[in-house]
Amino acid sequence: MFVPCNTVLAFLLVPAPVAVVPGEAFGADTCIRISYAASLDTLTTAMDRIVAALAPGAYRLRTGA
């Protein structure tokens, strides 16, 4: 199932909370862009949060949907 990248961006801001950039500016409107201008600890925490937010069933648990 395809989800527009702006939907994913907005979704990650609340539960993760992680800010990412749409890939449209780089010709990849189905992708997100992640900045690596942070410490390895910060990046690891961000990726862990993204994985948890996108895990199967995570959305259903947060919304009751």
Side-chain angles (χ1 to χ4, degrees):
M1 178 173 125
F2 172 75
V3 178
C5 71
N6 286 331
T7 301
V8 175
L9 301 178
F11 176 77
L12 288 176
L13 278 175
V14 176
V18 175
V20 293
V21 178
E24 305 172 326
F26 301 92
D29 61 347
T30 60
C31 299
I32 59 173
R33 182 171 181 235
I34 300 169
S35 172
Y36 294 101
S39 71
L40 183 56
D41 288 340
T42 299
L43 293 171
T44 300
T45 298
M47 296 314 284
D48 289 344
R49 289 178 178 178
I50 290 171
V51 168
L54 298 177
Y59 177 77
R60 192 171 51 252
L61 289 173
R62 282 192 301 280
T63 64

